[in-house]
């Protein structure tokens, strides 16, 4: 029987990856993983568990499902656009290196938002199969469903899940786009910004009703540019801008003198910025230390 400490070292990172993709919350994911290992350590018949990894994934998955069901009403009443809690560079570095190969594509803000369009059960089945490689029989055992039902749900979701990894640029190209975007904004170079942004770019700002943020998405390159140029004038000299990694891709942090912060991430396609995401809700940034 493997010790709880050894299991924690082996599986904490991938379990966190699952819980974070399921919930879109860093803090909830951390709590769920801690609960799973606490529950496991308190079992009296641990020696009877044949597959400890699958057992832990089962606990985490079902705890995520419970949380998502209980918070559904709260999500419906959320003020303005909802975005996942950002996962920044130092947190990402703690994750298992063996999991890094899927992160750029499947931990990005855009990918997480696509997952949020699925119901909780669909999300669980899709992730367990697509990302973590479980068989339909194993998934069925975890979720208390039939194998045939899990297979049917997975194929339906996979068919409708519009994610093309080939559209995601390399880290170096994405970094160039974000760096140029910031520089061009600072310089007031609208023509360059129009080259960098997709004509149909959309800006999503999550303030949760707690801080100033656009309560509806802002669509179109000129509208997004004008909004940010106005914000720069309004807050001139009141913030520090830091380039960092957000959800596996280049992003930025704006740290304000009053202690507030905005964390930006981006979605890319065909070497242009197609979406801009900004999280400012302080409840979603408690895990982000300055």
């Amino acid at each position: 029987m493997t010790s709880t400490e050894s299991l924690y070292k082996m599986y904490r990172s991938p379990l966190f990856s699952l819980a974070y993709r399921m919930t879109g919350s860093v803090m909830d994911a951390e709590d769920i993983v801690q609960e799973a290992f606490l529950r496991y350590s308190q079992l009296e018949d641990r020696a009877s568990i044949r597959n400890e990894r699958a057992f832990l994934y089962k606990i985490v998955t079902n705890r995520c499902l419970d949380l998502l069901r209980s918070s559904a009403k709260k999500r419906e009443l959320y003020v303005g656009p909802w975005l996942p809690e950002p996962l920044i560079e130092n947190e990402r570095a703690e994750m298992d290196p063996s999991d890094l190969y899927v992160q750029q594509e499947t931990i990005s803000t855009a990918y997480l938002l696509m997952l949020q369009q699925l119901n909780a059960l669909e999300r669980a089945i899709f992730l367990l199969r697509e990302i973590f490689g479980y068989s339909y029989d194993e998934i069925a055992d975890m979720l208390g469903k039939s194998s045939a039902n899990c297979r049917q749900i997975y194929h339906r979701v996979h068919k409708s899940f519009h994610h093309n990894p080939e559209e995601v640029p390399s880290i170096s190209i994405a970094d160039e786009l974000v760096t140029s975007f910031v520089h061009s904004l600072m310089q007031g170079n609208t023509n360059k910004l129009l080259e960098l942004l997709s004509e149909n770019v959309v800006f999503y700002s999550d303030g949760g009703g707690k801080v100033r943020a656009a309560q509806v998405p802002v669509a179109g390159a000129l509208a997004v540019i004008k909004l940010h140029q106005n914000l720069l004038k309004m807050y001139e000299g009141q913030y520090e801008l830091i380039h960092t990694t957000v959800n596996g891709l280049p992003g930025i942090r704006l740290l304000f003198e009053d202690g507030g912060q905005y964390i930006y991430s981006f979605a890319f396609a065909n070497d242009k910025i197609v979406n801009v995401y900004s999280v400012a809700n302080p409840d979603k940034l408690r895990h982000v230390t300055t």
Side-chain angles (χ1 to χ4, degrees), residues 169-221:
S170 66
I171 293 293
S172 60
I173 292 176
D175 187 57
E176 288 177 10
L177 287 169
V178 173
T179 301
S180 294
F181 172 76
V182 171
H183 179 74
S184 300
L185 266 180
M186 297 299 184
Q187 298 297 316
N189 189 340
T190 300
N191 289 333
K192 181 61 177 178
L193 287 167
L194 289 171
E195 293 177 12
L196 297 168
L197 298 174
S198 164
E199 181 180 352
N200 300 314
V201 65
V202 181
F203 171 62
Y204 300 88
S205 182
D206 181 345
K210 305 292 179 70
V211 297
R212 178 179 291 184
Q215 293 197 8
V216 295
V218 178

Short mmCIF file of all heavy atoms in Angstrom, two decimals, residues 169-221:
data_model
loop_
_atom_site.label_atom_id
_atom_site.label_comp_id
_atom_site.label_asym_id
_atom_site.label_seq_id
_atom_site.Cartn_x
_atom_site.Cartn_y
_atom_site.Cartn_z
N PRO A 169 -0.73 29.77 -31.61
CA PRO A 169 0.64 30.04 -32.05
C PRO A 169 1.66 29.52 -31.06
O PRO A 169 1.32 29.14 -29.92
CB PRO A 169 0.69 31.57 -32.12
CG PRO A 169 -0.28 32.01 -31.07
CD PRO A 169 -1.39 30.99 -31.11
N SER A 170 2.90 29.50 -31.46
CA SER A 170 3.97 29.15 -30.53
C SER A 170 4.03 30.20 -29.43
O SER A 170 3.53 31.32 -29.59
CB SER A 170 5.31 29.09 -31.27
OG SER A 170 5.66 30.39 -31.73
N ILE A 171 4.66 29.84 -28.33
CA ILE A 171 4.80 30.77 -27.22
C ILE A 171 5.53 32.04 -27.67
O ILE A 171 5.17 33.16 -27.29
CB ILE A 171 5.55 30.12 -26.04
CG1 ILE A 171 4.70 29.00 -25.44
CG2 ILE A 171 5.87 31.16 -24.98
CD1 ILE A 171 3.44 29.45 -24.76
N SER A 172 6.54 31.88 -28.51
CA SER A 172 7.33 33.03 -28.94
C SER A 172 6.49 34.00 -29.78
O SER A 172 6.58 35.23 -29.61
CB SER A 172 8.56 32.58 -29.74
OG SER A 172 8.18 31.85 -30.89
N ILE A 173 5.65 33.46 -30.67
CA ILE A 173 4.80 34.33 -31.48
C ILE A 173 3.73 34.99 -30.62
O ILE A 173 3.45 36.20 -30.75
CB ILE A 173 4.15 33.54 -32.63
CG1 ILE A 173 5.21 33.11 -33.64
CG2 ILE A 173 3.06 34.36 -33.31
CD1 ILE A 173 4.70 32.24 -34.77
N ALA A 174 3.15 34.22 -29.70
CA ALA A 174 2.15 34.80 -28.80
C ALA A 174 2.76 35.91 -27.95
O ALA A 174 2.14 36.96 -27.72
CB ALA A 174 1.57 33.70 -27.90
N ASP A 175 4.00 35.69 -27.51
CA ASP A 175 4.69 36.71 -26.71
C ASP A 175 4.93 37.98 -27.53
O ASP A 175 4.76 39.10 -27.03
CB ASP A 175 6.00 36.14 -26.19
CG ASP A 175 6.68 37.07 -25.21
OD1 ASP A 175 6.06 37.43 -24.19
OD2 ASP A 175 7.83 37.48 -25.46
N GLU A 176 5.31 37.80 -28.78
CA GLU A 176 5.51 38.96 -29.66
C GLU A 176 4.22 39.74 -29.85
O GLU A 176 4.21 40.98 -29.84
CB GLU A 176 6.04 38.49 -31.03
CG GLU A 176 7.48 38.01 -31.02
CD GLU A 176 7.92 37.49 -32.37
OE1 GLU A 176 7.14 37.69 -33.34
OE2 GLU A 176 9.00 36.89 -32.47
N LEU A 177 3.10 39.03 -30.01
CA LEU A 177 1.81 39.69 -30.19
C LEU A 177 1.42 40.49 -28.97
O LEU A 177 0.97 41.65 -29.08
CB LEU A 177 0.74 38.64 -30.51
CG LEU A 177 0.78 38.01 -31.89
CD1 LEU A 177 -0.17 36.82 -31.97
CD2 LEU A 177 0.42 39.03 -32.97
N VAL A 178 1.58 39.89 -27.78
CA VAL A 178 1.20 40.58 -26.55
C VAL A 178 2.12 41.77 -26.28
O VAL A 178 1.66 42.86 -25.92
CB VAL A 178 1.22 39.61 -25.35
CG1 VAL A 178 1.00 40.35 -24.03
CG2 VAL A 178 0.14 38.54 -25.52
N THR A 179 3.42 41.57 -26.49
CA THR A 179 4.38 42.66 -26.30
C THR A 179 4.10 43.82 -27.24
O THR A 179 4.11 44.99 -26.84
CB THR A 179 5.82 42.15 -26.50
OG1 THR A 179 6.09 41.09 -25.56
CG2 THR A 179 6.83 43.27 -26.28
N SER A 180 3.81 43.50 -28.49
CA SER A 180 3.49 44.54 -29.47
C SER A 180 2.18 45.23 -29.14
O SER A 180 2.04 46.45 -29.32
CB SER A 180 3.42 43.94 -30.88
OG SER A 180 4.67 43.45 -31.29
N PHE A 181 1.23 44.46 -28.64
CA PHE A 181 -0.07 45.03 -28.25
C PHE A 181 0.13 46.06 -27.14
O PHE A 181 -0.39 47.18 -27.23
CB PHE A 181 -0.98 43.90 -27.77
CG PHE A 181 -2.28 44.36 -27.16
CD1 PHE A 181 -3.31 44.83 -27.95
CD2 PHE A 181 -2.47 44.30 -25.78
CE1 PHE A 181 -4.52 45.26 -27.38
CE2 PHE A 181 -3.67 44.72 -25.20
CZ PHE A 181 -4.69 45.20 -26.01
N VAL A 182 0.89 45.70 -26.12
CA VAL A 182 1.14 46.62 -25.01
C VAL A 182 1.91 47.85 -25.48
O VAL A 182 1.54 49.00 -25.18
CB VAL A 182 1.90 45.91 -23.88
CG1 VAL A 182 2.35 46.91 -22.81
CG2 VAL A 182 1.06 44.81 -23.26
N HIS A 183 2.96 47.63 -26.25
CA HIS A 183 3.79 48.73 -26.72
C HIS A 183 2.98 49.70 -27.60
O HIS A 183 3.08 50.93 -27.45
CB HIS A 183 4.99 48.19 -27.51
CG HIS A 183 5.89 49.25 -28.06
ND1 HIS A 183 6.76 49.97 -27.28
CD2 HIS A 183 6.03 49.73 -29.33
CE1 HIS A 183 7.41 50.85 -28.03
NE2 HIS A 183 6.99 50.72 -29.28
N SER A 184 2.17 49.13 -28.48
CA SER A 184 1.38 49.96 -29.39
C SER A 184 0.32 50.76 -28.64
O SER A 184 0.01 51.90 -29.00
CB SER A 184 0.72 49.09 -30.47
OG SER A 184 1.71 48.41 -31.21
N LEU A 185 -0.25 50.17 -27.60
CA LEU A 185 -1.20 50.90 -26.77
C LEU A 185 -0.52 52.08 -26.10
O LEU A 185 -1.05 53.20 -26.09
CB LEU A 185 -1.80 49.98 -25.70
CG LEU A 185 -3.10 49.26 -26.00
CD1 LEU A 185 -3.51 48.40 -24.82
CD2 LEU A 185 -4.22 50.26 -26.33
N MET A 186 0.64 51.82 -25.53
CA MET A 186 1.37 52.88 -24.83
C MET A 186 1.76 54.01 -25.78
O MET A 186 1.80 55.18 -25.40
CB MET A 186 2.63 52.30 -24.17
CG MET A 186 2.34 51.25 -23.10
SD MET A 186 1.38 51.90 -21.74
CE MET A 186 1.35 50.48 -20.64
N GLN A 187 2.08 53.65 -27.02
CA GLN A 187 2.50 54.64 -28.01
C GLN A 187 1.32 55.30 -28.73
O GLN A 187 1.51 56.23 -29.51
CB GLN A 187 3.42 53.97 -29.04
CG GLN A 187 4.71 53.43 -28.46
CD GLN A 187 5.59 54.51 -27.86
OE1 GLN A 187 5.76 55.58 -28.45
NE2 GLN A 187 6.13 54.26 -26.68
N GLY A 188 0.13 54.78 -28.49
CA GLY A 188 -1.04 55.31 -29.18
C GLY A 188 -1.05 54.99 -30.66
O GLY A 188 -1.62 55.74 -31.48
N ASN A 189 -0.44 53.86 -31.03
CA ASN A 189 -0.31 53.49 -32.44
C ASN A 189 -1.51 52.64 -32.87
O ASN A 189 -1.49 51.41 -32.86
CB ASN A 189 1.00 52.71 -32.64
CG ASN A 189 1.31 52.49 -34.12
OD1 ASN A 189 0.43 52.58 -34.97
ND2 ASN A 189 2.56 52.20 -34.41
N THR A 190 -2.57 53.32 -33.26
CA THR A 190 -3.82 52.63 -33.62
C THR A 190 -3.64 51.74 -34.84
O THR A 190 -4.20 50.63 -34.90
CB THR A 190 -4.94 53.65 -33.87
OG1 THR A 190 -5.16 54.42 -32.68
CG2 THR A 190 -6.25 52.95 -34.24
N ASN A 191 -2.89 52.19 -35.83
CA ASN A 191 -2.70 51.39 -37.04
C ASN A 191 -2.04 50.05 -36.73
O ASN A 191 -2.42 49.01 -37.27
CB ASN A 191 -1.87 52.16 -38.06
CG ASN A 191 -2.65 53.31 -38.68
OD1 ASN A 191 -3.88 53.27 -38.76
ND2 ASN A 191 -1.95 54.35 -39.12
N LYS A 192 -1.02 50.07 -35.86
CA LYS A 192 -0.35 48.82 -35.49
C LYS A 192 -1.30 47.92 -34.70
O LYS A 192 -1.31 46.71 -34.88
CB LYS A 192 0.90 49.14 -34.65
CG LYS A 192 1.68 47.90 -34.22
CD LYS A 192 2.19 47.11 -35.41
CE LYS A 192 3.03 45.92 -34.96
NZ LYS A 192 3.51 45.11 -36.12
N LEU A 193 -2.10 48.51 -33.83
CA LEU A 193 -3.07 47.73 -33.06
C LEU A 193 -4.07 47.04 -33.98
O LEU A 193 -4.45 45.89 -33.73
CB LEU A 193 -3.79 48.63 -32.06
CG LEU A 193 -2.97 49.10 -30.86
CD1 LEU A 193 -3.67 50.22 -30.12
CD2 LEU A 193 -2.67 47.93 -29.91
N LEU A 194 -4.47 47.73 -35.02
CA LEU A 194 -5.41 47.13 -35.98
C LEU A 194 -4.78 45.95 -36.71
O LEU A 194 -5.49 45.02 -37.13
CB LEU A 194 -5.89 48.18 -36.97
CG LEU A 194 -6.84 49.25 -36.41
CD1 LEU A 194 -7.08 50.36 -37.43
CD2 LEU A 194 -8.16 48.62 -35.99
N GLU A 195 -3.47 45.97 -36.85
CA GLU A 195 -2.77 44.83 -37.46
C GLU A 195 -2.70 43.64 -36.51
O GLU A 195 -2.76 42.48 -36.94
CB GLU A 195 -1.35 45.23 -37.85
CG GLU A 195 -1.25 46.25 -38.98
CD GLU A 195 0.19 46.64 -39.25
OE1 GLU A 195 1.10 45.96 -38.73
OE2 GLU A 195 0.42 47.62 -39.99
N LEU A 196 -2.58 43.92 -35.23
CA LEU A 196 -2.42 42.88 -34.23
C LEU A 196 -3.73 42.21 -33.84
O LEU A 196 -3.75 41.01 -33.51
CB LEU A 196 -1.78 43.46 -32.96
CG LEU A 196 -0.36 44.03 -33.10
CD1 LEU A 196 0.00 44.83 -31.86
CD2 LEU A 196 0.64 42.89 -33.32
N LEU A 197 -4.81 42.99 -33.87
CA LEU A 197 -6.10 42.49 -33.41
C LEU A 197 -6.94 41.99 -34.57
O LEU A 197 -6.96 42.59 -35.65
CB LEU A 197 -6.88 43.59 -32.69
CG LEU A 197 -6.25 44.17 -31.42
CD1 LEU A 197 -7.07 45.34 -30.92
CD2 LEU A 197 -6.16 43.10 -30.33
N SER A 198 -7.67 40.90 -34.32
CA SER A 198 -8.66 40.47 -35.30
C SER A 198 -9.73 41.55 -35.41
O SER A 198 -10.06 42.24 -34.44
CB SER A 198 -9.30 39.16 -34.84
OG SER A 198 -10.50 38.90 -35.54
N GLU A 199 -10.29 41.71 -36.59
CA GLU A 199 -11.34 42.71 -36.80
C GLU A 199 -12.51 42.48 -35.85
O GLU A 199 -13.17 43.42 -35.40
CB GLU A 199 -11.82 42.64 -38.26
CG GLU A 199 -12.89 43.66 -38.61
CD GLU A 199 -13.34 43.55 -40.05
OE1 GLU A 199 -12.70 42.79 -40.81
OE2 GLU A 199 -14.32 44.23 -40.42
N ASN A 200 -12.76 41.20 -35.53
CA ASN A 200 -13.88 40.84 -34.66
C ASN A 200 -13.46 40.52 -33.23
O ASN A 200 -14.16 39.80 -32.53
CB ASN A 200 -14.63 39.65 -35.26
CG ASN A 200 -15.17 39.94 -36.65
OD1 ASN A 200 -15.76 40.99 -36.88
ND2 ASN A 200 -14.95 39.02 -37.58
N VAL A 201 -12.31 41.05 -32.81
CA VAL A 201 -11.83 40.78 -31.46
C VAL A 201 -12.88 41.17 -30.42
O VAL A 201 -13.65 42.13 -30.61
CB VAL A 201 -10.51 41.56 -31.20
CG1 VAL A 201 -10.75 43.06 -31.22
CG2 VAL A 201 -9.87 41.13 -29.89
N VAL A 202 -12.93 40.40 -29.32
CA VAL A 202 -13.87 40.69 -28.24
C VAL A 202 -13.10 40.82 -26.94
O VAL A 202 -12.21 40.01 -26.65
CB VAL A 202 -14.94 39.59 -28.11
CG1 VAL A 202 -15.93 39.93 -26.98
CG2 VAL A 202 -15.70 39.40 -29.42
N PHE A 203 -13.45 41.82 -26.15
CA PHE A 203 -12.84 42.05 -24.84
C PHE A 203 -13.85 41.68 -23.76
O PHE A 203 -14.96 42.20 -23.73
CB PHE A 203 -12.43 43.52 -24.70
CG PHE A 203 -11.98 43.90 -23.31
CD1 PHE A 203 -10.87 43.30 -22.74
CD2 PHE A 203 -12.66 44.86 -22.59
CE1 PHE A 203 -10.45 43.65 -21.46
CE2 PHE A 203 -12.26 45.23 -21.31
CZ PHE A 203 -11.14 44.61 -20.74
N TYR A 204 -13.44 40.77 -22.88
CA TYR A 204 -14.27 40.33 -21.76
C TYR A 204 -13.62 40.81 -20.46
O TYR A 204 -12.44 40.56 -20.22
CB TYR A 204 -14.38 38.80 -21.72
CG TYR A 204 -14.99 38.19 -22.96
CD1 TYR A 204 -14.19 37.85 -24.06
CD2 TYR A 204 -16.35 37.93 -23.03
CE1 TYR A 204 -14.74 37.28 -25.19
CE2 TYR A 204 -16.91 37.35 -24.17
CZ TYR A 204 -16.10 37.03 -25.24
OH TYR A 204 -16.65 36.46 -26.37
N SER A 205 -14.41 41.48 -19.63
CA SER A 205 -13.88 42.04 -18.39
C SER A 205 -14.69 41.54 -17.21
O SER A 205 -15.90 41.78 -17.13
CB SER A 205 -13.92 43.57 -18.46
OG SER A 205 -13.37 44.14 -17.30
N ASP A 206 -14.05 40.82 -16.30
CA ASP A 206 -14.72 40.20 -15.15
C ASP A 206 -14.40 40.98 -13.88
O ASP A 206 -13.32 40.84 -13.30
CB ASP A 206 -14.27 38.74 -15.03
CG ASP A 206 -14.93 38.01 -13.87
OD1 ASP A 206 -15.51 38.66 -13.00
OD2 ASP A 206 -14.85 36.76 -13.86
N GLY A 207 -15.35 41.81 -13.47
CA GLY A 207 -15.22 42.53 -12.20
C GLY A 207 -16.15 41.98 -11.14
O GLY A 207 -16.04 42.34 -9.96
N GLY A 208 -17.08 41.11 -11.55
CA GLY A 208 -17.98 40.48 -10.61
C GLY A 208 -18.85 41.45 -9.82
O GLY A 208 -19.40 41.09 -8.78
N GLY A 209 -18.99 42.68 -10.30
CA GLY A 209 -19.75 43.68 -9.57
C GLY A 209 -18.99 44.28 -8.40
O GLY A 209 -19.53 45.10 -7.65
N LYS A 210 -17.72 43.88 -8.24
CA LYS A 210 -16.91 44.35 -7.11
C LYS A 210 -16.03 45.54 -7.45
O LYS A 210 -15.71 46.35 -6.60
CB LYS A 210 -16.02 43.19 -6.61
CG LYS A 210 -16.76 41.91 -6.25
CD LYS A 210 -17.61 42.11 -5.01
CE LYS A 210 -18.37 40.84 -4.64
NZ LYS A 210 -17.50 39.78 -4.14
N VAL A 211 -15.60 45.61 -8.72
CA VAL A 211 -14.74 46.71 -9.18
C VAL A 211 -15.24 47.16 -10.55
O VAL A 211 -16.05 46.48 -11.19
CB VAL A 211 -13.26 46.28 -9.28
CG1 VAL A 211 -12.70 45.90 -7.91
CG2 VAL A 211 -13.10 45.12 -10.25
N ARG A 212 -14.71 48.28 -11.01
CA ARG A 212 -15.12 48.81 -12.31
C ARG A 212 -14.70 47.86 -13.42
O ARG A 212 -13.53 47.48 -13.53
CB ARG A 212 -14.50 50.19 -12.53
CG ARG A 212 -14.84 50.79 -13.88
CD ARG A 212 -14.24 52.16 -14.05
NE ARG A 212 -14.88 53.13 -13.17
CZ ARG A 212 -14.60 54.43 -13.18
NH1 ARG A 212 -13.67 54.89 -14.01
NH2 ARG A 212 -15.21 55.25 -12.35
N ALA A 213 -15.66 47.49 -14.25
CA ALA A 213 -15.38 46.61 -15.39
C ALA A 213 -16.55 46.71 -16.35
O ALA A 213 -17.68 47.02 -15.93
CB ALA A 213 -15.19 45.16 -14.93
N ALA A 214 -16.30 46.45 -17.61
CA ALA A 214 -17.37 46.46 -18.61
C ALA A 214 -18.31 45.29 -18.33
O ALA A 214 -17.87 44.14 -18.26
CB ALA A 214 -16.78 46.34 -20.01
N GLN A 215 -19.59 45.57 -18.16
CA GLN A 215 -20.53 44.52 -17.79
C GLN A 215 -21.07 43.74 -18.98
O GLN A 215 -21.81 42.78 -18.81
CB GLN A 215 -21.67 45.10 -16.96
CG GLN A 215 -21.20 45.61 -15.60
CD GLN A 215 -22.34 45.81 -14.63
OE1 GLN A 215 -23.48 45.44 -14.88
NE2 GLN A 215 -22.02 46.40 -13.48
N VAL A 216 -20.71 44.17 -20.17
CA VAL A 216 -21.02 43.39 -21.38
C VAL A 216 -19.75 43.32 -22.21
O VAL A 216 -18.91 44.23 -22.16
CB VAL A 216 -22.16 44.03 -22.21
CG1 VAL A 216 -23.47 44.00 -21.45
CG2 VAL A 216 -21.81 45.45 -22.61
N PRO A 217 -19.54 42.27 -22.96
CA PRO A 217 -18.35 42.18 -23.81
C PRO A 217 -18.29 43.33 -24.80
O PRO A 217 -19.31 43.79 -25.30
CB PRO A 217 -18.52 40.83 -24.51
CG PRO A 217 -19.43 40.04 -23.61
CD PRO A 217 -20.36 41.04 -23.03
N VAL A 218 -17.08 43.79 -25.07
CA VAL A 218 -16.86 44.87 -26.04
C VAL A 218 -16.32 44.24 -27.31
O VAL A 218 -15.28 43.58 -27.29
CB VAL A 218 -15.85 45.90 -25.49
CG1 VAL A 218 -15.57 46.99 -26.53
CG2 VAL A 218 -16.38 46.52 -24.19
N ALA A 219 -17.03 44.41 -28.43
CA ALA A 219 -16.69 43.72 -29.67
C ALA A 219 -16.19 44.70 -30.73
O ALA A 219 -16.66 45.83 -30.83
CB ALA A 219 -17.90 42.95 -30.20
N GLY A 220 -15.22 44.22 -31.51
CA GLY A 220 -14.69 45.00 -32.61
C GLY A 220 -13.38 45.66 -32.25
O GLY A 220 -13.20 46.18 -31.16
N ALA A 221 -12.45 45.64 -33.21
CA ALA A 221 -11.10 46.13 -32.95
C ALA A 221 -11.08 47.60 -32.51
O ALA A 221 -10.44 47.96 -31.53
CB ALA A 221 -10.23 45.92 -34.19
#
